[in-house]
Amino acid sequence: MSVKVTFLGHSGVLIEGGGARVAIDPFLSGNPVATMKADELECDAVVLTHGHEDHMADAVPICKKNKATLYAAYEICGYAQEEGHEKCEPGNPGGKIKAPFGYVAFTQAFHSSSFKGRYMGMPCGVVVNIGGVTLYHMGDTALFGDMKLIGEIYKPDVAFVPVGDRFTMGPELGKRAAELVRPKIAVPVHYKTWPLLAQDITAFRPEGVQVRALEPGETMTVG
Ligand code: NI
Ligand code: MN
């Protein structure tokens, strides 16, 4: 089986396959490189890594408009429900949730997580299994050695690796992260959205891993 992956710009991706459309961190309003408006995105599920504006800002409106299920940290789901979106699947690092399209698992990430000054629970990485393909979105995170374990446990076909530096890993540490996880394909994300994240990513050359740098709006087929 195969899936179609569309880069939404910044850290957002849309994955289509196995009869479902899953958006991870679809941040479009206020995203200067987005090629799509938030109300144009169609999906069945939204998966969030954490509560920061540049990941979560559009999530509740997108979920409401599409009647999509939200997979996110317990505290984020609590917020979404207060905002009137009931279809939520709360989780936390270490946990895995069965989904109509496969599963969503939450891993650890070294970062922070808040929205409009409110604590949004643990920052996470997310593993999404859809259409027989497994994708690991690291979220915003520092490098950590247990990425090796995450790679061994979930055997992801694709990893989305933040490489913009400052708030996450940069290209050199992102390379180390991809070498620990060992996906077939590594997609650099969370860079060049704003001048603060401008980054020459030539150092992002993990050994034994194919790098696919996607432009916003660009699509690739996996599997
Ligand atoms: Ni963040
Ligand atoms: Mn971020």
PDB file of all heavy atoms in Angstrom, residues 10 54-55 140 190, ligand 2:
ATOM      1  N   HIS A  10       6.223  24.865   6.890  1.00  0.00           N
ATOM      2  CA  HIS A  10       6.648  24.858   8.294  1.00  0.00           C
ATOM      3  C   HIS A  10       6.779  23.426   8.806  1.00  0.00           C
ATOM      4  O   HIS A  10       7.695  22.722   8.413  1.00  0.00           O
ATOM      5  CB  HIS A  10       5.722  25.708   9.157  1.00  0.00           C
ATOM      6  CG  HIS A  10       6.289  25.986  10.507  1.00  0.00           C
ATOM      7  ND1 HIS A  10       7.560  26.464  10.673  1.00  0.00           N
ATOM      8  CD2 HIS A  10       5.779  25.823  11.769  1.00  0.00           C
ATOM      9  CE1 HIS A  10       7.818  26.584  11.968  1.00  0.00           C
ATOM     10  NE2 HIS A  10       6.758  26.200  12.653  1.00  0.00           N
ATOM     11  N   ASP A  54       2.452  27.763  16.196  1.00  0.00           N
ATOM     12  CA  ASP A  54       2.870  27.385  14.839  1.00  0.00           C
ATOM     13  C   ASP A  54       2.604  25.902  14.529  1.00  0.00           C
ATOM     14  O   ASP A  54       3.075  25.377  13.513  1.00  0.00           O
ATOM     15  CB  ASP A  54       4.356  27.725  14.619  1.00  0.00           C
ATOM     16  CG  ASP A  54       5.283  27.070  15.617  1.00  0.00           C
ATOM     17  OD1 ASP A  54       4.950  27.003  16.815  1.00  0.00           O
ATOM     18  OD2 ASP A  54       6.363  26.603  15.209  1.00  0.00           O
ATOM     19  N   HIS A  55       1.852  25.249  15.403  1.00  0.00           N
ATOM     20  CA  HIS A  55       1.443  23.853  15.181  1.00  0.00           C
ATOM     21  C   HIS A  55      -0.066  23.695  15.383  1.00  0.00           C
ATOM     22  O   HIS A  55      -0.733  22.982  14.658  1.00  0.00           O
ATOM     23  CB  HIS A  55       2.196  22.908  16.140  1.00  0.00           C
ATOM     24  CG  HIS A  55       3.679  23.002  15.974  1.00  0.00           C
ATOM     25  ND1 HIS A  55       4.413  22.041  15.309  1.00  0.00           N
ATOM     26  CD2 HIS A  55       4.563  23.977  16.326  1.00  0.00           C
ATOM     27  CE1 HIS A  55       5.680  22.428  15.279  1.00  0.00           C
ATOM     28  NE2 HIS A  55       5.793  23.598  15.888  1.00  0.00           N
ATOM     29  N   ASP A 140       8.573  19.321  17.667  1.00  0.00           N
ATOM     30  CA  ASP A 140       9.700  20.213  17.947  1.00  0.00           C
ATOM     31  C   ASP A 140      10.495  19.518  19.034  1.00  0.00           C
ATOM     32  O   ASP A 140       9.950  19.212  20.099  1.00  0.00           O
ATOM     33  CB  ASP A 140       9.217  21.568  18.466  1.00  0.00           C
ATOM     34  CG  ASP A 140       8.612  22.435  17.374  1.00  0.00           C
ATOM     35  OD1 ASP A 140       8.551  21.987  16.214  1.00  0.00           O
ATOM     36  OD2 ASP A 140       8.201  23.567  17.690  1.00  0.00           O
ATOM     37  N   HIS A 190      10.302  22.501   9.721  1.00  0.00           N
ATOM     38  CA  HIS A 190      10.519  23.537  10.737  1.00  0.00           C
ATOM     39  C   HIS A 190      11.758  24.373  10.450  1.00  0.00           C
ATOM     40  O   HIS A 190      12.559  24.655  11.338  1.00  0.00           O
ATOM     41  CB  HIS A 190      10.595  22.896  12.132  1.00  0.00           C
ATOM     42  CG  HIS A 190      10.060  23.747  13.250  1.00  0.00           C
ATOM     43  ND1 HIS A 190      10.817  24.696  13.876  1.00  0.00           N
ATOM     44  CD2 HIS A 190       8.843  23.811  13.850  1.00  0.00           C
ATOM     45  CE1 HIS A 190      10.104  25.278  14.825  1.00  0.00           C
ATOM     46  NE2 HIS A 190       8.887  24.761  14.816  1.00  0.00           N
TER      47      HIS A 190
HETATM   48 MN    MN B   2       7.374  25.034  16.415  1.00  0.00          MN
END
